[in-house]
């Protein structure tokens, strides 16, 4: 991942015994939060809720460390557990002063209602600017008027959203959301993990996929795809923007290219990757 310039990485792990996460050593190379995902039956697994509540204080070792609670519930039959799951996640965040990162795959009325519930809980808990909802497919389905109302609700609670270049129907309207004051980032989604054998954490490739999914062909359509991949994640994670100005983080890559739109089409190799002022990769090989 560092070899393809993952300057910061938001990864995940499970609190269910026997399910791993980010391998040791990667946080030192790329940095970023480790997300606790609560997946499907995990909430009902013996001891899972207690382990999640106490894990932050217990400090059970590097592989067991996590920085923020979240959840993933990709199947409608688990709808009845929605309030209980959110109670646990927000309870952990309030108890330990942690941000929240929620993976939300729900569509239609269920997804919209869940996002509204998350916004209300965020305001009530005083977690403005500390909650992220990933995927949020329900937002992509909304009409323009309903979409603006939903965006205003997220902006009021400063809830960030992340999207992935899965298809034209699931990509969030990131340009419109940004105009309404919502922070939006682009994610690689899976990186050959427990959920999928695909993914490479290459954000340039992800920007290419985003342009392909949206059928972008003009420069004015391709450039926002790159900007979302380059700067959106930093905005969501509360990191400074890298712009090569004095005081900017020394995280950048060198490559041969003509212009941003042309690079999105041909994906040139990264000749040199610099992380925190140190060369970490050359010619696609990690040093």
């Amino acid at each position: 991942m560092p070899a393809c310039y993952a300057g910061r990485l938001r990864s995940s792990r499970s609190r269910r015994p026997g399910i791993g996460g980010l391998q040791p050593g990667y946080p030192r190379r790329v940095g970023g939060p480790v997300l606790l995902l609560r997946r499907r039956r995990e909430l009902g697994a013996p001891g899972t809720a207690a382990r999640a509540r106490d894990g932050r204080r217990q400090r059970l070792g590097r592989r067991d460390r996590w920085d923020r609670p979240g959840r993933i519930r990709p199947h409608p039959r688990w709808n009845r557990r929605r309030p209980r799951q959110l109670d646990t996640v927000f309870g952990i965040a309030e108890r330990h002063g942690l941000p929240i990162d929620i993976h939300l795959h729900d569509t239609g009325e269920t997804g919209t209602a869940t996002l509204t519930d998350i916004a209300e809980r965020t305001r009530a808990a005083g977690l403005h600017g500390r909650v992220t909802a990933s995927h949020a497919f329900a937002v992509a389905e909304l009409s323009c008027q309903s979409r603006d109302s939903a965006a205003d609700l997220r902006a009021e609670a400063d809830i960030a959203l992340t999207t992935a270049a899965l298809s034209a129907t699931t990509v969030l309207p990131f340009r419109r959301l940004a105009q309404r004051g919502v922070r939006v980032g682009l994610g690689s989604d899976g990186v050959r993990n427990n959920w999928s054998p695909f993914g490479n954490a290459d954000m340039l490739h992800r920007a290419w996929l985003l342009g392909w999914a949206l059928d972008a062909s003009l420069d004015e359509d391709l450039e926002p795809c790159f900007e979302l991949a380059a700067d959106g994640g930093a905005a969501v994670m509360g990191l400074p923007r890298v712009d090569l100005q004095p005081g900017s983080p020394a995280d950048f890559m060198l490559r041969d290219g003509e212009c941003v739109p042309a690079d999105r089409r041909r994906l040139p190799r990264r000749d040199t990757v610099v992380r925190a002022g140190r060369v970490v990769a050359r010619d696609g090989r990690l040093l």
Side-chain angles (χ1 to χ4, degrees), residues 212-233:
W212 176 79
L214 297 178
D215 196 23
S217 57
L218 302 178
D219 289 1
E220 53 264 36
D221 296 325
L222 290 166
E223 288 179 357
C225 295
F226 170 77
E227 293 170 358
L228 185 67
D231 302 322

Side-chain angles (χ1 to χ4, degrees), residues 13-34:
R13 64 165 290 109
S14 168
R15 278 302 300 171
R16 186 164 186 170
I19 300 180
L22 193 66
Q23 293 297 317
Y26 274 103
R28 295 194 299 272
R29 287 195 173 104
V30 298
V34 177

Side-chain angles (χ1 to χ4, degrees), residues 39-269:
R39 188 185 183 207
R40 294 189 181 182
R41 300 178 182 270
E42 287 188 24
L43 191 64
T48 296
R51 286 168 59 87
R53 285 193 297 266
D54 298 338
R56 181 71 179 179
R57 294 184 181 276
Q58 289 176 354
R59 295 291 184 176
L60 297 178
R62 180 178 297 275
R63 285 184 60 85
D64 213 43
R65 178 181 173 275
W66 52 274
D67 302 286
R68 59 187 65 188
R71 61 187 278 270
I72 182 168
R73 182 176 48 80
H75 198 283
R77 67 179 181 176
W78 296 97
N79 288 350
R80 65 184 184 275
R81 294 192 176 184
R82 171 167 52 92
R84 183 182 170 193
Q85 289 179 322
L86 290 177
D87 287 345
T88 300
V89 169
F90 275 84
I92 294 171
E94 291 184 70
R95 185 176 300 107
H96 299 296
L98 298 174
I100 294 175
D101 195 317
I102 297 178
H103 274 50
L104 186 65
H105 292 185
D106 301 83
T107 59
E109 295 182 1
T110 300
T112 302
T114 302
L115 285 167
T116 300
D117 190 4
I118 290 170
E120 293 173 349
R121 290 171 182 263
T122 299
R123 290 198 301 264
L127 290 171
H128 294 71
R130 308 198 72 197
V131 176
T132 300
S134 300
H135 297 298
F137 294 142
V139 175
E141 299 177 334
L142 296 174
S143 63
C144 291
Q145 183 175 358
S146 299
R147 186 179 296 168
D148 286 347
S149 299
D152 293 341
L153 185 62
R154 309 292 165 264
E156 180 184 349
D158 195 9
I159 296 175
L161 301 176
T162 65
T163 190
L166 303 180
S167 68
T169 58
T170 58
V171 170
L172 295 180
F174 56 93
R175 299 167 77 173
R176 183 61 179 174
L177 289 169
Q179 291 174 357
R180 309 294 292 195
V182 180
R183 292 175 291 129
V184 183
L186 178 65
S188 185
D189 199 12
V191 185
R192 296 193 297 273
N193 55 19
N194 294 329
W195 287 273
S196 169
F198 303 105
N200 56 13
D202 186 340
M203 293 310 298
L204 284 180
H205 183 238
R206 187 58 48 169
W208 183 94
L209 287 173
L210 179 61
W212 176 79
L214 297 178
D215 196 23
S217 57
L218 302 178
D219 289 1
E220 53 264 36
D221 296 325
L222 290 166
E223 288 179 357
C225 295
F226 170 77
E227 293 170 358
L228 185 67
D231 302 322
V236 169
M237 296 168 66
L239 300 171
R241 181 179 179 182
V242 177
D243 54 13
L244 299 182
Q245 297 297 317
S248 174
D251 299 335
F252 58 91
M253 60 183 170
L254 302 177
R255 52 185 170 77
D256 180 31
E258 302 174 9
C259 59
V260 168
D263 287 352
R264 296 294 67 69
R265 290 190 292 269
R266 66 185 187 90
L267 293 175
R269 184 184 65 184

